[in-house]
């Protein structure tokens, strides 16, 4: 009876292609994520990454696999410590095909059931819009501060003219 159920199970797997569906679905979900996601082992060696990673760094499908992530990022002028889990590191400007982008990089530990560390999930969250808004706000603040200085100086000129006018009246009255 066990042999028959085993044969039926294997037949259903081969006919229904059940074991093939899970990896395909996983790949589709992983590649549809809009953030850059890189999976590394405890030594920092890249074992997987999504489509967005290839786009941002302009690399081929297997170019990053088996490389040390921290060393790879250093070649891109990005200083990042994989073991600083939970902390966000802001990347310098990353240019790809003439497009400048900024990212907040976070390392998250990947653990087995009993808390044993098996690797890290490194996520690059695109913060370009926030950086551009911050830059625009900073420029606007500088302009407003400049206008405030001009307005203050103009008000001081009016005060000086008023003082001169009143002092000339007082001088005439004294004479």
């Amino acid at each position: 009876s066990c042999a028959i159920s085993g044969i039926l199970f294997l037949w259903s797997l081969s006919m229904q292609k059940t074991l093939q569906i899970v990896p395909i679905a996983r790949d589709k979900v992983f590649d549809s994520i809009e953030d850059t996601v890189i999976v590394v082992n405890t030594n920092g060696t890249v074992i997987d990454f999504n489509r967005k990673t290839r786009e941002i760094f302009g690399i081929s499908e297997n170019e990053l696999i088996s490389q040390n992530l921290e060393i790879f990022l250093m070649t891109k002028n990005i200083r990042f410590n994989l073991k600083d889990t939970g902390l966000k590191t802001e990347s310098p400007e990353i240019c790809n095909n003439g497009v400048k982008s900024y990212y907040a990089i976070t390392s998250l530990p990947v653990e087995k059931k009993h808390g044993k560390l098996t690797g890290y999930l490194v996520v690059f969250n695109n913060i370009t819009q926030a950086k551009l808004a911050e830059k625009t706000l900073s420029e606007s603040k500088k302009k407003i501060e400049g206008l405030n200085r001009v307005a203050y100086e103009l008000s001081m000129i009016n005060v000086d003219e008023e003082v001169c006018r009143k002092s000339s009246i007082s001088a005439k009255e004294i004479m």
Side-chain angles (χ1 to χ4, degrees):
S1 124
C2 281
I4 294 173
S5 57
I7 291 170
L8 287 174
F9 178 70
L10 289 174
W11 175 81
S12 71
L13 286 178
S14 66
M15 296 306 289
Q16 302 298 319
K17 301 190 187 311
T18 307
L19 291 179
Q20 294 173 0
I21 293 172
V22 173
I24 292 169
R26 176 231 165 261
D27 287 346
K28 286 195 178 284
V29 169
F30 194 53
D31 281 341
S32 69
I33 297 170
E34 282 302 311
D35 288 331
T36 297
V37 179
I38 304 172
V39 181
V40 298
N41 64 18
T42 55
N43 297 324
T45 303
V46 176
I47 55 176
D48 200 4
F49 58 91
N50 67 349
R51 170 193 53 81
K52 199 70 170 175
T53 305
R54 292 189 298 274
E55 291 174 13
I56 288 171
F57 293 113
I59 56 175
S60 67
E61 210 163 306
N62 294 317
E63 195 172 340
L64 189 54
I65 298 292
S66 298
Q67 283 195 43
N68 182 284
L69 180 62
E70 290 175 340
I71 293 171
F72 172 78
L73 292 176
M74 278 188 225
T75 66
K76 305 291 183 186
N77 295 319
I78 300 171
R79 302 276 181 245
F80 179 71
N81 185 351
L82 186 61
K83 293 183 172 116
D84 287 343
T85 58
L87 300 177
K88 288 191 182 211
T89 302
E90 284 193 18
S91 74
E93 183 177 280
I94 296 176
C95 287
N96 186 21
N97 296 327
V99 177
K100 297 177 183 178
S101 301
Y102 299 89
Y103 296 88
I105 310 166
T106 308
S107 174
L108 304 166
V110 176
E111 299 172 346
K112 287 186 177 180
K113 285 184 182 179
H114 301 291
K116 183 178 186 222
L117 184 68
T118 60
Y120 300 92
L121 191 66
V122 180
V123 180
F124 285 64
N125 183 272
N126 191 327
I127 58 169
T128 303
Q129 293 302 321
K131 278 289 198 185
L132 294 176
E134 185 180 294
K135 184 178 178 184
T136 301
L137 280 172
S138 177
E139 290 169 357
S140 296
K141 180 183 173 194
K142 286 178 186 174
K143 287 177 186 176
I144 290 170
E145 287 171 348
L147 289 171
N148 280 340
R149 274 193 299 281
V150 168
Y152 175 76
E153 289 171 6
L154 286 173
S155 71
M156 293 312 292
I157 290 172
N158 288 339
V159 167
D160 289 346
E161 287 175 354
E162 184 68 22
V163 168
C164 288
R165 189 177 59 74
K166 285 184 179 179
S167 63
S168 68
I169 293 173
S170 299
K172 287 180 186 176
E173 289 175 356
I174 293 174
M175 294 180 164

